[in-house]
Each structure stands twice: as C-alpha cells, then as structure tokens.
Amino acid sequence: MEGLELGPRSFAQTNAHVASALYEQAALWASRPFADGHLPESLWDLYCGVGGFALTCARAGFPRVTGVEVSSGAISSASSAATFIAEDATAWARAQSPEDMPDVIVVNPPRRGIGADLAAYLNQCDAPRVIYSSCNPLTLAKDLAAMPSLRPVEGRLFDMFPHTTHAEVALLLERT
C-alpha cells in the first residue's frame, strides 16, 4: 500500500494484495452514513501497526484519524496523513475523555485478541461503530461475547495465506 514504510520492528500484513482489500473494505464500512444520515468524521485505529487501516480511512475522507500502536518502531513508519501515537491501545483509549469519542473505532489486535479490558471499554463507550479485524477466530469469539452492546452487521473473510488455515476476518459491528 502506498505510504507504508516498514522498519525492523514494524508489523504489516505480508500479503499486500489481500491486505489492501482488507483496508479498503474497512474504509467502506467506516465511511457509511449513520441511520440519521450524517457521515462519520473521526476514527481511532487501535493496534494500528504501521497504519494500514488509518491511512486508508484518511484517504477515504475522514477528517480526523488517530492510530495507536505500542511499537514506536511501527509508529515511526507511519505517514503524516493521520495522527499516530506510540502507546498501549487499551490504556490510551481508556484515558480519553468522552467528548473525544470517535464515530468509528477500528481494532486489529494480535492473535491474543483485544482482551477483557478493551472489550469492556468498547462495550460501554459511545462509539456507534466498531470494525474488528482478527487473525484468530477463537479470540474473536471470546471478545465478541464480552461486547454484547455491539452486534455484527457484516463480515468478510480474507484469505491472507492461501493453502493454509490462516485467514483474516473483518467484522462491522454497530451499537445496539
């Protein structure tokens, strides 16, 4: 994807063609008008790595995009099309004031999932839309069970590594 620069401690999807389709799908879902007709304007990309989701959503027209990643090496690879912060995603999100709540939150955690703390936060926060990208169906199911106020609206499977059991699943979740 144009704009991504990889360093030795950067995480990025290795199948660039499929990753690009994943980022574009997330940007399409994120950009959809809400039921009242207004367009989303702000987005957080938690566990952003080098910023694939954040940069694609910024290019799709989001005026305010923030990417959060614990790896400063990955953040230094990110472009200036969005604001990038080198911090723990859960701690950062929980420290934000309710007035700064975005319209859309994207999470793309490691195989261990988002965990109980971030799942509880997402379940209780006021963000109307969450996009969850997962490489582990077991932790995805566990995280979804911990977020009953968010319901899956659409999902899509991305075959990152053909002829293996590894795939990426993206889900569009909306607040009930």
Side-chain angles (χ1 to χ4, degrees):
M1 186 185 128
E2 186 180 323
L4 292 183
E5 297 176 21
L6 302 178
R9 294 194 174 270
S10 302
F11 172 81
Q13 300 288 354
T14 57
N15 186 328
H17 178 71
V18 175
S20 180
L22 171 65
Y23 300 149
E24 291 296 329
Q25 180 65 68
L28 284 172
W29 284 340
S31 301
R32 281 187 185 167
F34 291 109
D36 65 4
H38 90 273
L39 292 173
E41 295 181 4
S42 56
L43 180 137
W44 292 351
D45 180 5
L46 305 181
Y47 302 99
C48 71
V50 296
F53 288 104
L55 294 171
T56 304
C57 289
R59 287 189 187 111
F62 272 83
R64 293 184 314 279
V65 175
T66 301
V68 183
E69 170 62 46
V70 72
S71 168
S72 59
I75 290 299
S76 68
S77 300
S79 161
S80 62
T83 300
F84 290 96
I85 299 166
E87 257 188 70
D88 176 78
T90 301
W92 182 86
R94 294 180 70 93
Q96 304 311 298
S97 69
E99 300 83 46
D100 294 329
M101 185 61 50
D103 294 320
V104 181
I105 298 176
V106 176
V107 292
N108 183 31
R111 292 192 61 76
R112 65 175 163 75
I114 60 173
D117 286 345
L118 186 55
Y121 173 81
L122 292 174
N123 189 58
Q124 297 168 357
C125 77
D126 290 331
R129 184 174 291 158
V130 173
I131 297 169
Y132 193 132
S133 178
S134 174
C135 62
N136 185 341
L138 297 176
T139 57
L140 172 63
K142 182 178 178 183
D143 291 340
L144 289 174
M147 300 184 296
S149 71
L150 293 165
R151 68 176 176 83
V153 175
E154 283 186 46
R156 186 167 165 198
L157 177 70
F158 294 86
D159 193 2
M160 281 289 177
F161 302 103
H163 309 293
T164 73
T165 59
H166 297 286
E168 192 82 11
V169 175
L171 288 177
L172 169 61
L173 307 169
E174 294 194 349
R175 190 134 334 258
T176 56

